[in-house]
Amino acid sequence: MFSRLFFLIVFVMLSFSVTATAQQQRFDSAEATDPNKLKWMQGFPPPADKIITHPESDFFSFPKLRWTVCHIRELLPTTLVSRGLSAPAPLPEKLDSEIDNITFKRLDNHRELTWKQSLTENYTDGILILHKGVIVYEEYAGCLNEERKHAAMSMTKSLTGLLAEILVAEGTLNAQATVASIVPELAESAFADATVRQVMDMTTGLDYSENYEDPNADIWIYSAASNPLPKPDTYTGPVGYYEYLQTVKKAGEHGKAFGYKTINSDVLGWIIARVSGSSVAQLLSAKIWKNIGAEQDAYMTIDSKGTPFAGGGLSAGLRDMARVGQLMLNEGTLNNERLFPQSVVEQIRKGGDKTAFSQANYRYLEGASYRSMWWVLHNKHQAFAARGVHGQTIYVDPTADMVIVRFASHPLAKNTHTDPTSLPAYQAVAEYLLSCCGKHQANVDAH
Amino acid sequence: MFSRLFFLIVFVMLSFSVTATAQQQRFDSAEATDPNKLKWMQGFPPPADKIITHPESDFFSFPKLRWTVCHIRELLPTTLVSRGLSAPAPLPEKLDSEIDNITFKRLDNHRELTWKQSLTENYTDGILILHKGVIVYEEYAGCLNEERKHAAMSMTKSLTGLLAEILVAEGTLNAQATVASIVPELAESAFADATVRQVMDMTTGLDYSENYEDPNADIWIYSAASNPLPKPDTYTGPVGYYEYLQTVKKAGEHGKAFGYKTINSDVLGWIIARVSGSSVAQLLSAKIWKNIGAEQDAYMTIDSKGTPFAGGGLSAGLRDMARVGQLMLNEGTLNNERLFPQSVVEQIRKGGDKTAFSQANYRYLEGASYRSMWWVLHNKHQAFAARGVHGQTIYVDPTADMVIVRFASHPLAKNTHTDPTSLPAYQAVAEYLLSCCGKHQANVDAH
């Protein structure tokens, strides 16, 4: 039972996956796998074959995951990311139904799609477009609605990276310091002589495998360690994120190549907690959630020592993620208040080492880089993004004054499967908004 | 490991406990056991002897419970009780520091205490007094502050009972119907021929023991069934609240005696879900939390099938519990809106069968009764209350136009240990407010 539990929990816990075989699979459509139509967890009690529960229940397999992404707190212990007690700051809205008809060509097979078609093709659960700070498009599907939260998956990393950049800008964190000088517990680990910047940009050299087909891969040990549920009496491995991170060995040199490894985010979470005196969840509340006029609290999964999963544990409302995107677009201001210095977003937008990045061979991200746990596209609009498996994104296009936020539950984890129907769609909407005028701002008080 | 886990989780899950021996114990003071001073879960990571985690960690033993009562969601899966997305309705405030000096005599040893002294004697974590709808007193201690939530324990039952009364008033639920006519799955159980009213008033005749000293007591089977964490492969018992409830056998006749048994609340939760189509958590949101101008979402613990624990699973903010109290005092209106018919509170306030209640021999509740899962004191002020182990209460005094809400973490579960320092204190404050004038309403817009 326990190894199976580990296997399944890891799908929530980490950010890669899926075998070559799976990639060839055909999946039932978004409509056919709508979790409401499939009646997951409906009824008192739900029928036995409609119950999704703790990881043992295979809770992150498709199509179950289409329900699970909105219900993480019902499956695992979580910690609050408080919005505080004040009134939300409503986002101005002027919907533009023309957006549905915008067309673009898929990146893979070049088939033409409308924006509206793309939303079902890539299993979108919620999508919101801000233009000049005004909601011009907002749709929900699957398990999501405006009052619910959705797993942000690896977009969590970008918020962790943002917090680190804020601490750097405030002088609380030295990006050039070595990890061991801040977290001495990591002195014997691979991270010891890495700089904070290398961790933030994931250019650490780590002997760490996320190969799901290898039963001895490090990912399984990490997953077992971070599992917040009670461990079997026979378990002798590391307990919690921090204990595991201390065991990671070095491979190669730091600063040479980009390697997308979630453990960097959790080391960064540890660094943040140590220098700020607040966990990532607490700091995310204090620095962001309490100051953006959020409509909903957010939350994070935790390990059995209460450590939030800085690499992937966040669940939040779609509109609140849009507020974060607008805050990034505005380079630190929102609702006429400056929340952090402009240098924070400047640091992120300038991007990371493109050569280091290119070695990772992301099919649809040629010329991009990774900086402070944000994806910097270096495209003609200078877009940058938070991204998470199964299609999550905060996509910020400064040229078009546009933010797109998407929550999704694509059957396949890797964004290679979502990018063909999302990246060109975002660009097409951006061009539409750029060309169509300032009409969205006509009658509203845009921030 | 597993039986110990059951043993410990049950302290959260149910509402009695504590042996005669334990009652004689002396406990460290509230100040000495302040969870912040004891540094539970502080540090990144916390030291090994300061970690409180899933039930295995003895999480509800004293003094750990003083931390745990504010952190249930970090230990167990939970489900949201949404406040919705609108702005909170602030409670008007005009604090009266004189209240600290009000004196009263303890019910047990007749020692005189001030109000302020009582708060530490009974391990108060948060207390708020509303007079004529205005906050005249508000204090936090221990793990609680105005932004946090606290376990409501068996006050959850009173909210479940309130929802049932609302459904009765709306014509959705027939209080005279038998349980089996609504929930056929209970046809073979003790509850089958009980009326909904008997369940609401806990006058069912049940062969059910909550004797913690008996390892074969039903409470352990119930606890194992409702535990939301993965069960061992060897487990063959009922899974979840509903499966367990179907196994309960009858003892005696229904309608004869009051017997405070949490399983009645969970049957009522099932009835509510079946007739309304919403779980208790969903209905609590729709009927109450979204309509009271709540500042915070609340949440409920769940079993492994997603069933909220209608008998004790709620955690909520202090001020939001005060809003519920004011709603009860106002007999269904709040912020100039009627949320449910006046008959709902009338049904509750008229009380249950006093003779049936008297057989339960509550030491400090002579002459009281239990109705719709509320405690009706039938005292000179016609007070009625929600109550939960370790000192939780919503105390509504219609005569003094007063609501007192208390969250606490008394070392001992039974309210027999809190009543001597709380019930006479509430009465003394009520008399002070009655006599002192209408000054609290002078400069504020009380609802």
Side-chain angles (χ1 to χ4, degrees):
Chain A
M1 179 190 83
F2 207 59
S3 64
R4 186 165 162 244
L5 187 154
F6 286 169
F7 178 80
L8 295 162
I9 202 167
V10 86
F11 280 93
V12 165
M13 290 304 182
L14 285 163
S15 313
F16 290 90
S17 88
V18 185
T19 65
T21 316
Q23 288 175 27
Q24 309 311 320
Q25 274 183 249
R26 285 280 159 256
F27 291 96
D28 285 341
S29 70
E31 196 187 9
T33 58
D34 183 303
N36 304 307
K37 288 187 190 158
L38 291 183
K39 298 184 186 295
W40 298 119
M41 295 300 277
Q42 291 179 23
F44 309 101
D49 63 343
K50 295 299 181 186
I51 288 178
I52 301 176
T53 181
H54 43 70
E56 211 182 308
S57 76
D58 198 16
F59 72 159
F60 229 72
S61 65
F62 185 82
K64 283 183 181 175
L65 74 84
R66 302 211 64 209
W67 179 89
T68 298
V69 286
C70 295
H71 297 272
I72 302 291
R73 74 174 292 167
E74 294 160 43
L75 305 165
L76 291 168
T78 54
T79 192
L80 178 71
V81 177
S82 172
R83 60 174 292 282
L85 304 179
S86 57
L91 289 166
E93 182 176 292
K94 188 167 167 61
L95 299 179
D96 181 353
S97 58
E98 287 301 310
I99 291 171
D100 274 334
N101 305 317
I102 295 171
T103 57
F104 66 93
K105 289 201 167 65
R106 286 182 64 121
L107 286 183
D108 43 8
N109 60 19
H110 307 293
R111 186 156 58 85
E112 187 170 274
L113 284 182
T114 64
W115 171 263
K116 191 172 177 64
Q117 288 170 328
S118 76
L119 304 186
T120 47
E121 291 232 354
N122 60 29
Y123 299 81
T124 297
D125 295 326
I127 190 146
L128 190 153
I129 306 174
L130 286 168
H131 183 221
K132 300 182 181 177
V134 179
I135 299 177
V136 294
Y137 194 90
E138 183 176 7
E139 282 293 326
Y140 296 93
C143 63
L144 197 62
N145 65 33
E146 67 180 31
E147 286 190 16
R148 292 186 186 161
K149 293 176 256 296
H150 193 287
M153 309 307 292
S154 290
M155 294 200 284
T156 313
K157 294 177 172 69
S158 304
L159 288 163
T160 301
L162 173 61
L163 292 176
E165 282 293 3
I166 292 172
L167 294 174
V168 169
E170 291 176 353
T172 307
L173 176 61
N174 176 4
Q176 299 315 315
T178 61
V179 171
S181 71
I182 298 170
V183 183
E185 295 95 319
L186 288 169
E188 303 300 316
S189 80
F191 300 98
D193 62 340
T195 64
V196 173
R197 171 56 64 197
Q198 288 162 342
V199 171
M200 289 169 75
D201 295 354
M202 292 207 192
T203 58
T204 45
L206 306 176
D207 178 11
Y208 178 83
S209 155
E210 294 191 354
N211 178 359
Y212 288 71
E213 296 182 330
D214 175 3
N216 297 315
D218 306 289
I219 175 64
W220 303 118
I221 309 171
Y222 189 44
S223 171
S226 58
N227 185 328
L229 303 182
K231 298 200 185 333
D233 290 338
T234 52
Y235 182 80
T236 55
V239 176
Y241 294 105
Y242 295 160
E243 276 192 17
Y244 177 77
L245 295 170
Q246 293 174 66
T247 70
V248 177
K249 298 298 171 204
K250 199 167 171 178
E253 274 183 75
H254 300 315
K256 295 297 177 199
F258 167 69
Y260 185 78
K261 293 178 176 172
T262 299
I263 52 177
N264 286 295
S265 307
D266 289 304
V267 164
L268 190 58
W270 197 353
I271 289 169
I272 287 170
R274 186 57 57 79
V275 301
S276 73
S278 298
S279 75
V280 165
Q282 291 164 338
L283 200 66
L284 187 56
S285 169
K287 295 286 185 192
I288 308 292
W289 241 254
K290 284 188 172 179
N291 302 322
I292 59 173
E295 288 178 357
Q296 295 189 61
D297 292 329
Y299 65 80
M300 295 182 75
T301 57
I302 52 179
D303 69 13
S304 65
K305 294 175 177 176
T307 310
F309 180 26
L314 184 73
S315 287
L318 182 69
R319 289 188 191 152
D320 291 332
M321 294 302 270
R323 288 174 167 93
V324 171
Q326 190 65 34
L327 176 66
M328 297 303 289
L329 180 71
N330 297 352
E331 301 195 332
T333 64
L334 199 66
N335 305 323
N336 302 313
E337 272 186 66
R338 177 156 289 285
L339 306 192
F340 49 74
Q342 190 164 15
S343 62
V344 168
V345 177
E346 283 169 359
Q347 275 295 330
I348 293 168
R349 284 192 58 188
K350 78 181 189 189
D353 182 331
K354 289 189 202 181
T355 311
F357 186 89
S358 67
Q359 294 167 43
N361 285 317
Y362 283 90
R363 188 160 170 195
Y364 300 111
L365 296 175
E366 263 181 60
S369 72
Y370 194 74
R371 176 76 168 175
S372 314
M373 310 212 169
W374 287 78
W375 304 81
V376 183
L377 272 60
H378 303 292
N379 63 4
K380 61 181 176 181
H381 280 195
Q382 300 302 311
F384 60 105
R387 291 159 60 90
V389 284
H390 299 282
Q392 327 308 322
T393 203
I394 301 173
Y395 184 92
V396 183
D397 181 330
T399 304
D401 204 348
M402 177 190 82
V403 172
I404 298 181
V405 185
R406 181 193 299 267
F407 278 135
S409 46
H410 194 288
L412 295 170
K414 281 186 178 170
N415 276 320
T416 318
H417 305 287
T418 298
D419 286 343
T421 54
S422 63
L423 293 180
Y426 302 160
Q427 185 62 28
V429 172
E431 285 166 13
Y432 166 79
L433 292 174
L434 263 179
S435 69
C436 82
C437 50
K439 69 178 180 184
H440 300 304
Q441 210 171 4
N443 297 311
V444 290
D445 172 27
H447 298 293
Chain B
M1 179 192 82
F2 207 58
S3 64
R4 186 166 162 243
L5 186 153
F6 287 170
F7 178 80
L8 295 161
I9 202 168
V10 86
F11 280 93
V12 165
M13 290 302 181
L14 285 162
S15 312
F16 291 91
S17 89
V18 185
T19 64
T21 317
Q23 288 176 27
Q24 310 310 320
Q25 273 182 251
R26 286 278 157 259
F27 291 96
D28 285 342
S29 70
E31 196 188 9
T33 58
D34 183 302
N36 303 307
K37 288 188 190 158
L38 291 182
K39 297 183 187 296
W40 297 118
M41 295 299 278
Q42 291 178 22
F44 308 103
D49 62 344
K50 296 298 182 186
I51 288 178
I52 300 176
T53 181
H54 43 70
E56 212 182 307
S57 76
D58 199 16
F59 73 159
F60 229 71
S61 65
F62 186 83
K64 283 182 180 174
L65 74 86
R66 301 211 63 208
W67 179 88
T68 299
V69 286
C70 295
H71 298 272
I72 301 292
R73 75 174 292 166
E74 293 160 43
L75 306 164
L76 292 168
T78 54
T79 192
L80 178 70
V81 177
S82 171
R83 60 173 292 282
L85 304 178
S86 57
L91 289 166
E93 183 175 290
K94 188 167 168 61
L95 300 178
D96 180 354
S97 59
E98 288 301 308
I99 291 171
D100 274 335
N101 305 317
I102 294 171
T103 57
F104 66 92
K105 288 200 168 63
R106 286 180 65 120
L107 285 183
D108 45 6
N109 59 19
H110 307 294
R111 187 157 56 85
E112 188 170 275
L113 285 181
T114 65
W115 170 262
K116 191 173 178 63
Q117 287 170 327
S118 76
L119 304 185
T120 48
E121 291 232 355
N122 59 31
Y123 299 81
T124 296
D125 294 326
I127 190 149
L128 189 154
I129 306 174
L130 286 167
H131 183 220
K132 301 180 179 177
V134 178
I135 299 176
V136 295
Y137 195 90
E138 183 176 8
E139 283 292 326
Y140 296 93
C143 63
L144 197 63
N145 65 32
E146 65 180 32
E147 287 190 16
R148 292 187 186 161
K149 293 175 253 301
H150 193 287
M153 310 306 292
S154 290
M155 293 200 285
T156 312
K157 294 178 172 68
S158 304
L159 289 164
T160 301
L162 173 60
L163 292 176
E165 283 292 3
I166 292 172
L167 294 175
V168 169
E170 291 177 353
T172 308
L173 177 60
N174 175 6
Q176 298 316 314
T178 61
V179 171
S181 71
I182 299 171
V183 183
E185 296 96 319
L186 288 170
E188 303 300 315
S189 79
F191 300 100
D193 61 340
T195 64
V196 173
R197 172 56 62 197
Q198 286 162 343
V199 171
M200 290 169 74
D201 295 355
M202 292 206 192
T203 58
T204 45
L206 306 175
D207 178 11
Y208 179 82
S209 156
E210 294 192 355
N211 179 0
Y212 287 71
E213 295 183 330
D214 175 5
N216 297 315
D218 306 290
I219 176 64
W220 303 118
I221 308 173
Y222 189 44
S223 171
S226 59
N227 186 328
L229 303 182
K231 298 200 184 332
D233 290 336
T234 52
Y235 181 80
T236 55
V239 176
Y241 294 107
Y242 294 160
E243 277 192 17
Y244 177 77
L245 295 171
Q246 294 174 66
T247 71
V248 177
K249 298 298 171 202
K250 200 166 171 179
E253 276 183 71
H254 299 315
K256 296 297 179 195
F258 168 69
Y260 185 79
K261 292 179 177 174
T262 298
I263 50 175
N264 286 296
S265 307
D266 289 305
V267 165
L268 189 59
W270 198 352
I271 290 169
I272 287 170
R274 187 56 58 80
V275 300
S276 73
S278 298
S279 75
V280 165
Q282 291 164 337
L283 200 67
L284 187 57
S285 168
K287 296 285 185 191
I288 308 292
W289 240 254
K290 284 189 171 178
N291 303 321
I292 59 173
E295 288 178 357
Q296 295 188 62
D297 292 329
Y299 64 80
M300 295 183 76
T301 57
I302 52 179
D303 68 14
S304 65
K305 295 176 177 175
T307 310
F309 180 25
L314 184 75
S315 286
L318 183 68
R319 288 186 191 154
D320 291 332
M321 293 302 271
R323 289 175 167 91
V324 171
Q326 190 65 36
L327 176 65
M328 297 302 289
L329 180 71
N330 296 353
E331 301 196 330
T333 65
L334 199 67
N335 306 321
N336 302 315
E337 273 187 66
R338 176 156 291 285
L339 305 192
F340 49 74
Q342 191 165 13
S343 63
V344 167
V345 177
E346 282 170 0
Q347 276 295 331
I348 294 168
R349 284 191 60 188
K350 76 181 189 187
D353 182 332
K354 290 189 200 181
T355 310
F357 186 89
S358 68
Q359 294 166 43
N361 286 316
Y362 283 90
R363 187 161 170 193
Y364 300 112
L365 295 175
E366 263 181 61
S369 71
Y370 194 76
R371 176 78 168 175
S372 316
M373 310 212 169
W374 288 77
W375 304 82
V376 183
L377 274 60
H378 302 293
N379 64 4
K380 61 182 176 181
H381 279 195
Q382 299 302 311
F384 60 104
R387 291 158 60 91
V389 284
H390 298 283
Q392 328 308 323
T393 204
I394 301 172
Y395 184 93
V396 183
D397 181 331
T399 305
D401 204 347
M402 176 189 85
V403 171
I404 298 180
V405 185
R406 180 194 300 269
F407 278 135
S409 47
H410 194 288
L412 296 170
K414 283 185 178 171
N415 276 320
T416 318
H417 306 286
T418 297
D419 286 342
T421 54
S422 63
L423 293 180
Y426 301 160
Q427 184 63 27
V429 172
E431 285 167 12
Y432 165 80
L433 293 173
L434 263 180
S435 68
C436 83
C437 50
K439 69 179 180 184
H440 299 304
Q441 209 171 2
N443 297 312
V444 288
D445 172 27
H447 298 294

